Amino acid sequence: MTDERGGDPVAIARVLPKGSGIVFRHHATRAAARRRLFDGVRRVARARRLVLFLAGPPMQALAWRADGAHHRSLLVSKGLRSVAVHNCRERVLAQRVGANLIFVSPVFATVSHPGKTPLGAARLGILIGAQRRQAIVVGGLNAGSFKRLNRMKVFGWAAIDTFKLGQMRSRT
């Protein structure tokens, strides 16, 4: 997951493991600069066959030629759809909008959400229920902490701070 805190998303896209995906956020970046940055990430994603979601309305994701939208609106989407899920209400909404993936957070304590009570493994399992194969877990994760969740058979894990280039190679 990209944002202004996490380093250069183009450089990060160049070193992500095969089979990875990117949720491009950068909401605080001015519109023209955000589009240029997204286009740079999209070029790398296409060349490396990474999946690229745009955090924004489905029509914007389609116009920007993203693989999907990371957005919880009830608007119809012509690509993949991912949704952030922090509680049961949001999980139900994700089902209503037909989300292909759900980003469930925060699983563990994280600097991205200071003071927010993490779900922990037990509450995570209850929250995702039968949607385990659609769930990407977020919050306080790295390759080691993700292995602790292996028995849940979630789809994958995502991060913001872990993927700062200086930290990524030592944590993944």
Side-chain angles (χ1 to χ4, degrees):
M1 303 197 87
T2 76
D3 69 14
E4 291 76 8
R5 299 170 291 172
D8 177 6
V10 175
I12 293 169
R14 288 186 183 121
V15 297
L16 283 173
K18 291 193 184 307
S20 295
I22 301 165
V23 176
F24 183 88
R25 298 184 315 170
H26 279 75
H27 296 296
T29 302
R30 292 184 179 263
R34 183 177 190 243
R35 178 61 193 262
R36 282 191 305 276
L37 188 57
F38 177 85
D39 288 343
V41 171
R42 189 184 69 235
R43 279 190 293 278
V44 174
R46 293 292 176 264
R48 299 199 60 237
R49 296 184 180 192
L50 304 174
V51 177
L52 178 60
F53 284 81
L54 175 67
M59 292 306 292
Q60 183 183 27
L62 183 65
W64 287 22
R65 297 188 335 236
D67 297 311
H70 182 70
H71 197 267
R72 66 173 58 130
S73 77
L74 293 173
L75 298 170
V76 174
S77 178
K78 286 201 180 213
L80 298 171
R81 172 74 69 94
S82 68
V83 174
V85 170
H86 304 94
N87 55 48
C88 289
R89 183 184 57 78
E90 291 175 347
R91 184 181 55 80
V92 169
L93 178 62
Q95 288 174 304
R96 283 183 57 207
V97 302
N100 304 94
L101 296 172
I102 56 173
F103 286 83
V104 185
S105 75
V107 177
F108 301 117
T110 175
V111 296
S112 299
H113 295 87
K116 178 107 172 152
T117 302
L119 294 166
R123 286 182 33 215
L124 170 67
I126 292 167
L127 180 60
I128 61 177
Q131 290 180 295
R132 292 169 195 266
R133 293 285 185 196
Q134 294 173 279
I136 296 178
V137 292
V138 187
L141 284 140
N142 57 39
S145 60
F146 180 65
K147 284 179 185 174
R148 295 188 346 228
L149 301 175
N150 272 350
R151 70 184 186 287
M152 288 194 183
K153 305 211 182 306
V154 295
F155 186 72
W157 65 282
I160 299 166
D161 296 315
T162 297
F163 292 112
K164 289 180 182 174
L165 273 182
Q167 300 173 21
M168 187 171 142
R169 289 185 183 98
S170 64
R171 288 188 175 181
T172 57

